[in-house]
Amino acid sequence: MFENVSPADVKLSNITIPLKWVKIDPAKYKSDCWKYRVFCLLRSGTQVIDSKDLVPINMLSDNITFPDTFILKDLSPDFVIDIELYYACIDENGKKKKVPTATLR
């Protein structure tokens, strides 16, 4: 299917991901975790690239944008890029609480 096709470089920049928060009543919400710091990893084959900065969001954010430019080199025509998000809840004292993950494909 992909005969005589050369590998190519793929450049992604300003990745924006929509966020969907579970609706909660702030008066009943017991946690003080309203602020988060997020970074992402892009994986394709053996290549792994991370965002350079932690992006701040809170529970009022509609989306998250990573302003980085990511370049994946020498990808085959049937490449797959996985985007993994890692985030930590930050309390009012600036201390990290937990680090769950999400993967987009």
Side-chain angles (χ1 to χ4, degrees), residues 30-73:
K30 304 284 186 221
S31 174
D32 55 356
C33 187
W34 289 89
K35 296 179 181 178
Y36 299 86
R37 298 289 185 264
V38 183
F39 75 94
C40 72
L41 290 178
L42 274 68
R43 294 180 191 263
S44 187
T46 60
Q47 296 182 63
V48 179
I49 304 172
D50 66 338
S51 57
K52 301 302 178 214
D53 296 318
L54 295 173
V55 177
I57 61 169
N58 62 45
M59 294 187 81
L60 300 175
S61 302
D62 292 334
N63 58 51
I64 183 169
T65 299
F66 296 94
D68 307 73
T69 297
F70 304 93
I71 300 174
L72 297 157
K73 297 184 177 280

Side-chain angles (χ1 to χ4, degrees), residues 15-27:
I15 296 173
T16 299
I17 299 169
L19 300 174
K20 180 178 178 183
W21 297 96
V22 175
K23 291 186 179 189
I24 58 170
D25 179 0

